[in-house]
Amino acid sequence: DQQVKQNSPSLSVQEGRISILNCDYTNSMFDYFLWYKKYPAEGPTFLISISSIKDKNEDGRFTVFLNKSAKHLSLHIVPSQPGDSAVYFCAAIYAGGTSYGKLTFGQGTILTVHP
Amino acid sequence: DGGITQSPKYLFRKEGQNVTLSCEQNLNHDAMYWYRQDPGQGLRLIYYSQIVNDFQKGDIAEGYSVSREKKESFPLTVTSAQKNPTAFYLCASRKGLVSGGELFFGEGSRLTVL
């Protein structure tokens, strides 16, 4: 049962344009969401997070939007740069549960930013 | 600098052999995790440990074993019982009781079974 889904395996964007990566979840108990970025043969690095009490969190070129009623979150990258090309994972956690720290990850979306 | 160190980065093993992947952290984090990454499958949790001398099975624990004798160390053994061990393995840690805190990842170990 895939509780966190990233339905687009890949996304291709021109440099300077906006990249929008989407993520859907099914477990309404999730109350904290994170985005990770991963280059080949490296571990993922944390990018940005959002608590369920917010609907938007911004950090530089990266903004995460959360729509709780739709159980949907998205990551916007503006402007996109070639160095943003990587695999992006969204992850969710039920912070109030006994399995704190146990993140549930989506399958990942490969972002390619063309110069 | 604090961080998570995984070794070896690349490992080859013959079928039927056990192999142990090392994970050490100097972040003073309480919780540690092992994930496996396969193409198109995202990150799947193998085992996790919230405190020393305690660990729990994740979603795909069969064929794997772990120990947590020290706070800094969480080695993963891939046993011969694991049917498809070729994968990229990631170790992570987290402060522990902080609600919603992020995971910090090591650089990964790629295991190939010949």
Side-chain angles (χ1 to χ4, degrees):
Chain A
D1 176 29
Q2 190 77 28
Q3 296 188 62
V4 179
K5 295 180 185 179
Q6 293 175 255
N7 291 318
S8 298
S10 63
L11 175 68
S12 184
V13 171
Q14 204 69 30
E15 181 179 6
R17 306 293 290 266
I18 185 172
S19 296
I20 300 176
L21 298 110
N22 293 305
C23 180
D24 297 294
Y25 61 96
T26 57
N27 189 341
S28 58
M29 298 297 287
F30 288 143
D31 54 10
Y32 196 81
F33 305 89
L34 307 93
W35 283 94
Y36 283 83
K37 174 180 176 180
K38 183 183 180 303
Y39 294 114
E42 292 183 10
T45 54
F46 170 73
L47 204 53
I48 193 168
S49 63
I50 187 167
S51 166
S52 60
I53 62 173
K54 295 186 175 181
D55 54 19
K56 176 183 174 181
N57 188 25
E58 195 171 351
D59 184 4
R61 296 186 297 115
F62 303 92
T63 303
V64 57
F65 295 92
L66 176 63
N67 182 336
K68 282 202 307 182
S69 60
K71 296 192 181 68
H72 176 84
L73 64 154
S74 61
L75 174 68
H76 292 212
I77 306 174
V78 182
S80 301
Q81 299 172 353
D84 295 329
S85 298
V87 181
Y88 289 79
F89 292 98
C90 74
I93 186 172
Y94 171 36
T98 55
S99 61
Y100 54 83
K102 183 183 169 185
L103 267 67
T104 302
F105 284 88
Q107 309 96 309
T109 297
I110 301 170
L111 172 66
T112 304
V113 180
H114 298 284
Chain B
D1 279 2
I4 301 177
T5 302
Q6 287 186 241
S7 63
K9 193 162 185 175
Y10 299 96
L11 186 61
F12 298 87
R13 94 157 200 222
K14 293 181 181 177
E15 277 193 34
Q17 288 181 334
N18 291 358
V19 62
T20 298
L21 307 179
S22 168
C23 178
E24 303 278 331
Q25 55 100 357
N26 59 4
L27 298 165
N28 198 32
H29 283 176
D30 299 300
M32 296 186 74
Y33 307 80
W34 274 104
Y35 288 90
R36 169 180 170 144
Q37 187 193 8
D38 295 282
Q41 299 229 35
L43 299 174
R44 293 184 292 167
L45 182 64
I46 304 172
Y47 266 98
Y48 65 105
S49 168
Q50 296 170 350
I51 56 171
V52 174
N53 292 323
D54 185 54
F55 48 82
Q56 286 83 38
K57 292 182 179 179
D59 301 317
I60 54 164
E62 186 176 348
Y64 299 98
S65 65
V66 292
S67 63
R68 187 85 187 275
E69 297 176 2
K70 297 185 301 181
K71 187 176 184 177
E72 303 80 18
S73 179
F74 191 41
L76 173 75
T77 297
V78 185
T79 75
S80 56
Q82 168 50 232
K83 300 267 190 286
N84 185 20
T86 294
F88 190 61
Y89 291 87
L90 286 158
C91 178
S93 72
R94 185 167 172 268
K95 188 60 181 166
L97 295 178
V98 176
S99 175
E102 63 181 274
L103 285 179
F104 290 84
F105 285 88
E107 295 204 339
S109 294
R110 182 167 294 283
L111 171 64
T112 303
V113 174
L114 305 173

PDB file of all heavy atoms in Angstrom, chain A residues 72-89:
ATOM      1  N   HIS A  72      -2.533  16.633  -0.799  1.00  0.00           N
ATOM      2  CA  HIS A  72      -1.615  16.890  -1.901  1.00  0.00           C
ATOM      3  C   HIS A  72      -0.603  17.941  -1.488  1.00  0.00           C
ATOM      4  O   HIS A  72      -0.945  18.935  -0.836  1.00  0.00           O
ATOM      5  CB  HIS A  72      -2.405  17.390  -3.123  1.00  0.00           C
ATOM      6  CG  HIS A  72      -1.551  17.759  -4.274  1.00  0.00           C
ATOM      7  ND1 HIS A  72      -1.075  16.850  -5.191  1.00  0.00           N
ATOM      8  CD2 HIS A  72      -1.059  18.973  -4.664  1.00  0.00           C
ATOM      9  CE1 HIS A  72      -0.335  17.465  -6.091  1.00  0.00           C
ATOM     10  NE2 HIS A  72      -0.318  18.745  -5.809  1.00  0.00           N
ATOM     11  N   LEU A  73       0.651  17.699  -1.841  1.00  0.00           N
ATOM     12  CA  LEU A  73       1.644  18.744  -1.659  1.00  0.00           C
ATOM     13  C   LEU A  73       2.474  18.875  -2.931  1.00  0.00           C
ATOM     14  O   LEU A  73       2.550  17.941  -3.739  1.00  0.00           O
ATOM     15  CB  LEU A  73       2.546  18.516  -0.440  1.00  0.00           C
ATOM     16  CG  LEU A  73       3.480  17.340  -0.361  1.00  0.00           C
ATOM     17  CD1 LEU A  73       4.637  17.689   0.561  1.00  0.00           C
ATOM     18  CD2 LEU A  73       2.766  16.127   0.197  1.00  0.00           C
ATOM     19  N   SER A  74       3.031  20.052  -3.094  1.00  0.00           N
ATOM     20  CA  SER A  74       3.845  20.294  -4.285  1.00  0.00           C
ATOM     21  C   SER A  74       5.072  21.107  -3.907  1.00  0.00           C
ATOM     22  O   SER A  74       5.048  21.888  -2.952  1.00  0.00           O
ATOM     23  CB  SER A  74       3.029  21.009  -5.366  1.00  0.00           C
ATOM     24  OG  SER A  74       2.578  22.254  -4.905  1.00  0.00           O
ATOM     25  N   LEU A  75       6.119  20.896  -4.663  1.00  0.00           N
ATOM     26  CA  LEU A  75       7.368  21.639  -4.509  1.00  0.00           C
ATOM     27  C   LEU A  75       7.567  22.487  -5.761  1.00  0.00           C
ATOM     28  O   LEU A  75       7.559  21.959  -6.870  1.00  0.00           O
ATOM     29  CB  LEU A  75       8.548  20.685  -4.334  1.00  0.00           C
ATOM     30  CG  LEU A  75       9.939  21.317  -4.309  1.00  0.00           C
ATOM     31  CD1 LEU A  75      10.119  22.152  -3.043  1.00  0.00           C
ATOM     32  CD2 LEU A  75      11.026  20.258  -4.405  1.00  0.00           C
ATOM     33  N   HIS A  76       7.716  23.804  -5.568  1.00  0.00           N
ATOM     34  CA  HIS A  76       7.958  24.708  -6.669  1.00  0.00           C
ATOM     35  C   HIS A  76       9.401  25.192  -6.600  1.00  0.00           C
ATOM     36  O   HIS A  76       9.860  25.618  -5.526  1.00  0.00           O
ATOM     37  CB  HIS A  76       7.011  25.917  -6.601  1.00  0.00           C
ATOM     38  CG  HIS A  76       5.574  25.550  -6.845  1.00  0.00           C
ATOM     39  ND1 HIS A  76       4.696  26.422  -7.447  1.00  0.00           N
ATOM     40  CD2 HIS A  76       4.875  24.431  -6.583  1.00  0.00           C
ATOM     41  CE1 HIS A  76       3.517  25.842  -7.536  1.00  0.00           C
ATOM     42  NE2 HIS A  76       3.604  24.633  -7.015  1.00  0.00           N
ATOM     43  N   ILE A  77      10.080  25.137  -7.721  1.00  0.00           N
ATOM     44  CA  ILE A  77      11.444  25.635  -7.807  1.00  0.00           C
ATOM     45  C   ILE A  77      11.458  26.745  -8.856  1.00  0.00           C
ATOM     46  O   ILE A  77      11.163  26.511 -10.028  1.00  0.00           O
ATOM     47  CB  ILE A  77      12.436  24.519  -8.217  1.00  0.00           C
ATOM     48  CG1 ILE A  77      12.308  23.310  -7.290  1.00  0.00           C
ATOM     49  CG2 ILE A  77      13.869  25.057  -8.188  1.00  0.00           C
ATOM     50  CD1 ILE A  77      13.148  22.106  -7.725  1.00  0.00           C
ATOM     51  N   VAL A  78      11.767  27.967  -8.392  1.00  0.00           N
ATOM     52  CA  VAL A  78      11.761  29.118  -9.304  1.00  0.00           C
ATOM     53  C   VAL A  78      12.936  30.050  -8.991  1.00  0.00           C
ATOM     54  O   VAL A  78      13.039  30.497  -7.843  1.00  0.00           O
ATOM     55  CB  VAL A  78      10.445  29.924  -9.171  1.00  0.00           C
ATOM     56  CG1 VAL A  78      10.430  31.092 -10.150  1.00  0.00           C
ATOM     57  CG2 VAL A  78       9.234  29.036  -9.365  1.00  0.00           C
ATOM     58  N   PRO A  79      13.783  30.379  -9.963  1.00  0.00           N
ATOM     59  CA  PRO A  79      13.853  29.776 -11.277  1.00  0.00           C
ATOM     60  C   PRO A  79      14.635  28.461 -11.225  1.00  0.00           C
ATOM     61  O   PRO A  79      15.520  28.296 -10.388  1.00  0.00           O
ATOM     62  CB  PRO A  79      14.627  30.828 -12.075  1.00  0.00           C
ATOM     63  CG  PRO A  79      15.520  31.464 -11.057  1.00  0.00           C
ATOM     64  CD  PRO A  79      14.768  31.444  -9.753  1.00  0.00           C
ATOM     65  N   SER A  80      14.338  27.575 -12.110  1.00  0.00           N
ATOM     66  CA  SER A  80      15.053  26.292 -12.147  1.00  0.00           C
ATOM     67  C   SER A  80      16.458  26.487 -12.721  1.00  0.00           C
ATOM     68  O   SER A  80      16.658  27.290 -13.632  1.00  0.00           O
ATOM     69  CB  SER A  80      14.296  25.281 -13.008  1.00  0.00           C
ATOM     70  OG  SER A  80      12.997  25.073 -12.504  1.00  0.00           O
ATOM     71  N   GLN A  81      17.406  25.724 -12.172  1.00  0.00           N
ATOM     72  CA  GLN A  81      18.787  25.800 -12.624  1.00  0.00           C
ATOM     73  C   GLN A  81      19.269  24.390 -12.988  1.00  0.00           C
ATOM     74  O   GLN A  81      18.791  23.406 -12.406  1.00  0.00           O
ATOM     75  CB  GLN A  81      19.678  26.383 -11.520  1.00  0.00           C
ATOM     76  CG  GLN A  81      19.301  27.784 -11.099  1.00  0.00           C
ATOM     77  CD  GLN A  81      20.084  28.252  -9.877  1.00  0.00           C
ATOM     78  OE1 GLN A  81      20.829  27.484  -9.267  1.00  0.00           O
ATOM     79  NE2 GLN A  81      19.894  29.512  -9.513  1.00  0.00           N
ATOM     80  N   PRO A  82      20.230  24.284 -13.896  1.00  0.00           N
ATOM     81  CA  PRO A  82      20.727  22.946 -14.268  1.00  0.00           C
ATOM     82  C   PRO A  82      21.204  22.128 -13.065  1.00  0.00           C
ATOM     83  O   PRO A  82      21.040  20.910 -13.026  1.00  0.00           O
ATOM     84  CB  PRO A  82      21.872  23.251 -15.227  1.00  0.00           C
ATOM     85  CG  PRO A  82      21.481  24.550 -15.857  1.00  0.00           C
ATOM     86  CD  PRO A  82      20.795  25.331 -14.753  1.00  0.00           C
ATOM     87  N   GLY A  83      21.752  22.790 -12.050  1.00  0.00           N
ATOM     88  CA  GLY A  83      22.203  22.096 -10.849  1.00  0.00           C
ATOM     89  C   GLY A  83      21.076  21.522 -10.016  1.00  0.00           C
ATOM     90  O   GLY A  83      21.318  20.727  -9.097  1.00  0.00           O
ATOM     91  N   ASP A  84      19.839  21.882 -10.356  1.00  0.00           N
ATOM     92  CA  ASP A  84      18.683  21.311  -9.652  1.00  0.00           C
ATOM     93  C   ASP A  84      18.350  19.922 -10.181  1.00  0.00           C
ATOM     94  O   ASP A  84      17.515  19.220  -9.590  1.00  0.00           O
ATOM     95  CB  ASP A  84      17.452  22.203  -9.827  1.00  0.00           C
ATOM     96  CG  ASP A  84      17.624  23.559  -9.169  1.00  0.00           C
ATOM     97  OD1 ASP A  84      18.332  23.646  -8.152  1.00  0.00           O
ATOM     98  OD2 ASP A  84      17.046  24.542  -9.697  1.00  0.00           O
ATOM     99  N   SER A  85      18.966  19.530 -11.277  1.00  0.00           N
ATOM    100  CA  SER A  85      18.690  18.212 -11.865  1.00  0.00           C
ATOM    101  C   SER A  85      19.078  17.118 -10.882  1.00  0.00           C
ATOM    102  O   SER A  85      20.243  16.987 -10.486  1.00  0.00           O
ATOM    103  CB  SER A  85      19.471  18.044 -13.176  1.00  0.00           C
ATOM    104  OG  SER A  85      19.063  19.001 -14.128  1.00  0.00           O
ATOM    105  N   ALA A  86      18.106  16.348 -10.465  1.00  0.00           N
ATOM    106  CA  ALA A  86      18.301  15.325  -9.430  1.00  0.00           C
ATOM    107  C   ALA A  86      16.996  14.553  -9.288  1.00  0.00           C
ATOM    108  O   ALA A  86      16.013  14.833  -9.971  1.00  0.00           O
ATOM    109  CB  ALA A  86      18.667  15.974  -8.097  1.00  0.00           C
ATOM    110  N   VAL A  87      17.004  13.593  -8.371  1.00  0.00           N
ATOM    111  CA  VAL A  87      15.765  12.905  -8.013  1.00  0.00           C
ATOM    112  C   VAL A  87      15.207  13.579  -6.766  1.00  0.00           C
ATOM    113  O   VAL A  87      15.944  13.832  -5.806  1.00  0.00           O
ATOM    114  CB  VAL A  87      15.993  11.404  -7.727  1.00  0.00           C
ATOM    115  CG1 VAL A  87      14.673  10.723  -7.370  1.00  0.00           C
ATOM    116  CG2 VAL A  87      16.631  10.728  -8.926  1.00  0.00           C
ATOM    117  N   TYR A  88      13.933  13.872  -6.774  1.00  0.00           N
ATOM    118  CA  TYR A  88      13.289  14.523  -5.649  1.00  0.00           C
ATOM    119  C   TYR A  88      12.294  13.551  -5.015  1.00  0.00           C
ATOM    120  O   TYR A  88      11.421  13.001  -5.693  1.00  0.00           O
ATOM    121  CB  TYR A  88      12.571  15.799  -6.100  1.00  0.00           C
ATOM    122  CG  TYR A  88      13.544  16.888  -6.462  1.00  0.00           C
ATOM    123  CD1 TYR A  88      14.199  16.887  -7.694  1.00  0.00           C
ATOM    124  CD2 TYR A  88      13.834  17.922  -5.569  1.00  0.00           C
ATOM    125  CE1 TYR A  88      15.115  17.871  -8.021  1.00  0.00           C
ATOM    126  CE2 TYR A  88      14.743  18.913  -5.894  1.00  0.00           C
ATOM    127  CZ  TYR A  88      15.381  18.873  -7.115  1.00  0.00           C
ATOM    128  OH  TYR A  88      16.290  19.849  -7.434  1.00  0.00           O
ATOM    129  N   PHE A  89      12.453  13.378  -3.708  1.00  0.00           N
ATOM    130  CA  PHE A  89      11.549  12.505  -2.956  1.00  0.00           C
ATOM    131  C   PHE A  89      10.716  13.345  -2.008  1.00  0.00           C
ATOM    132  O   PHE A  89      11.241  14.211  -1.314  1.00  0.00           O
ATOM    133  CB  PHE A  89      12.337  11.493  -2.113  1.00  0.00           C
ATOM    134  CG  PHE A  89      13.079  10.454  -2.898  1.00  0.00           C
ATOM    135  CD1 PHE A  89      14.439  10.604  -3.162  1.00  0.00           C
ATOM    136  CD2 PHE A  89      12.430   9.322  -3.358  1.00  0.00           C
ATOM    137  CE1 PHE A  89      15.127   9.628  -3.882  1.00  0.00           C
ATOM    138  CE2 PHE A  89      13.118   8.346  -4.074  1.00  0.00           C
ATOM    139  CZ  PHE A  89      14.464   8.510  -4.331  1.00  0.00           C
TER     140      PHE A  89
END
